[in-house]
Amino acid sequence: MPTAASVKVLRTLPEFEGIRHEWESWPGNRDSEINTYLACLRSNPATVRPHVVVVEREGRPDAILVGRIDLSHISCHLGYLRLNLPAKILCFVYGALRGNPSKENCDLIVSSVLQSLSDREADVAYMNFLREESELCRLAKERPSALSRDYLHVTQQHYAAALPPSVDEFYRGLSPKVRKNQKRQAKKLVEHFAGNVTVRCFRTVAEIQVLVAEVGRVASRSHQRGLGVGFIDSAHTREQLRLKAAKGWLQGYVLYLAERPCAFWIGDINGNAFGSDYVGYDAEFASHSPGMYLVMRVIEGFCDERHERVTEVDFGTGHAQYKQVLSNHEWREMSVYIFAPTFKGISINIVRSFIVGTDQIIKKILARTNLLQKIKKAWRGRAKPKEALHADA
């Protein structure tokens, strides 16, 4: 029989000291690590206050769900068109659940979230990409009432690669086609730039200003920037990088071709895993595949430098060809919304359901007619930054 439990919500920073020991002792994703979370609270201008759900058993914390209240918006996409719905959001960070993920604890946590929404603390709660098979994901989908339930969950594949102890073993784990193509492309790139190809790793607080400048230069000329996503230089981003560097976690890689920054890969070391945060390349150099070249060189370094103790690369959520060909482990994750039982909460649910539902129907139709990839390619071409398009004009 499970022991009697109680639930409380921490809404102020001083309250965290009572659970700091347990919070720091529980393993989990870097986003829900206490110092990373506190840095996010300080640097995110949209944040109103903390919101951490704590389940206690026998007077001691047994599980927490790490979140915050933001004055922000819910983005609804119709193709590459976006509509922002203003809302007060109870946002739970990626990897928010720490401690004992038992069915009983997850049920108590979801009950607390539902109560906060009923008490009008927020218009909507957002569960940031939960493992699809997890108890928390199931309850977040099933427990809300009919009008508060999310009927259009966004799912994405999460990719990771367990690394062998040598570069040769890593390449043997790839398909023959991928192995051949990567070695051929790497040789071609090095020959084209007459060997003037270098990779620099930024790790320290003192290097952040240079890292941000170099990465910002590349990001401004990337396809992601044209679509309004990817690396953005902001106070929040710099604070996150500063914290990771101060803790010794930061790994910011930049590829230079003829002394010009052309690609970047920024992440951090979490235990034995390198977690990917930002990746991009200068669209002008797309024919040389600089992004893939950089990723391969970094992974080779992890295989060679076992003192770094990196035995896994976590590529994160979202489909990308490089993730698919390099990963040997994947699972599905789902983001779940729970809408408040209020006029505003239900209205947001209706509008979002209509827009997202229409988008999903159109994508299914296009996928059946093989038009989806052609349209995506055309959009990316239109979204290419002007700097990249006219660099040599």
Side-chain angles (χ1 to χ4, degrees), residues 85-262:
L85 305 176
K88 192 174 186 180
I89 303 173
L90 173 50
C91 179
F92 293 99
V93 304
Y94 184 78
L97 181 59
R98 284 181 174 245
N100 178 10
S102 67
K103 178 180 178 181
E104 294 78 14
N105 284 353
C106 289
D107 190 63
L108 290 168
I109 285 170
V110 172
S111 294
S112 175
V113 174
L114 293 174
Q115 186 61 54
S116 291
L117 293 174
S118 294
D119 292 342
R120 298 175 181 267
E121 292 188 64
D123 303 312
V124 58
Y126 174 64
M127 304 287 193
N128 189 353
F129 284 107
L130 308 171
R131 282 213 180 208
E132 200 169 37
E133 74 277 8
S134 70
E135 196 64 33
L136 183 60
C137 184
R138 182 185 70 81
L139 291 168
K141 291 189 296 180
E142 297 177 0
R143 285 286 308 278
S145 64
L147 293 176
S148 297
R149 189 172 299 175
D150 184 356
Y151 294 95
L152 296 166
H153 313 107
V154 177
T155 61
Q156 292 195 52
Q157 208 73 2
H158 193 123
Y159 296 89
L163 301 181
S166 73
V167 175
D168 287 342
E169 286 183 67
F170 168 70
Y171 274 101
R172 283 198 296 270
L174 304 177
S175 72
K177 181 179 179 180
V178 171
R179 184 164 61 243
K180 179 180 178 181
N181 285 344
Q182 291 311 310
K183 290 185 176 181
R184 177 180 55 82
Q185 289 176 358
K187 181 180 179 181
K188 184 178 177 181
L189 181 145
V190 173
E191 289 177 349
H192 182 86
F193 291 94
N196 193 359
V197 178
T198 58
V199 175
R200 179 178 175 184
C201 182
F202 298 81
R203 292 186 173 93
T204 68
V205 173
E207 294 175 304
I208 288 177
Q209 186 171 346
V210 177
L211 172 64
V212 169
E214 299 287 63
V215 170
R217 182 179 173 188
V218 177
S220 69
R221 304 165 64 85
S222 67
H223 293 299
Q224 291 99 321
R225 177 61 56 84
L227 298 173
V229 297
F231 180 88
I232 300 293
D233 181 9
S234 66
H236 175 66
T237 300
R238 288 182 178 239
E239 177 62 18
Q240 292 293 309
L241 294 174
R242 188 204 64 77
L243 173 66
K244 292 180 180 183
K247 292 288 185 177
W249 304 334
L250 180 65
Q251 304 278 292
Y253 297 94
V254 177
L255 170 67
Y256 295 84
L257 302 178
E259 301 182 3
R260 174 175 165 180
C262 295

Side-chain angles (χ1 to χ4, degrees), residues 268-374:
D268 58 56
I269 303 295
N270 186 359
N272 294 330
F274 171 78
S276 177
D277 290 325
Y278 304 102
V279 62
Y281 63 88
D282 188 328
E284 181 185 340
F285 294 86
S287 61
H288 298 290
S289 301
M292 191 63 169
Y293 178 89
L294 176 60
V295 168
M296 296 300 287
R297 299 296 81 73
V298 172
I299 292 177
E300 287 176 3
F302 289 150
C303 292
D304 273 343
E305 299 173 9
R306 303 310 290 179
H307 63 275
E308 291 275 7
R309 302 188 65 231
V310 175
T311 59
E312 180 182 358
V313 174
D314 185 343
F315 293 108
T317 57
H319 180 268
Q321 186 178 12
Y322 79 94
K323 297 180 183 181
Q324 191 171 18
V325 300
L326 298 180
S327 297
N328 50 37
H329 180 44
E330 60 184 84
W331 60 92
R332 293 196 67 77
E333 295 180 335
M334 177 182 294
S335 63
V336 182
Y337 285 99
I338 304 174
F339 299 89
T342 62
F343 177 78
K344 184 173 182 180
I346 294 170
S347 297
I348 292 173
N349 192 9
I350 293 171
V351 174
R352 175 181 175 271
S353 296
F354 174 76
I355 295 173
V356 176
T358 302
D359 179 70
Q360 291 181 355
I361 291 172
I362 292 173
K363 284 181 178 177
K364 287 179 181 179
I365 294 172
L366 292 174
R368 291 195 187 106
T369 58
N370 296 320
L371 290 174
L372 185 58
Q373 292 303 318
K374 293 180 180 179

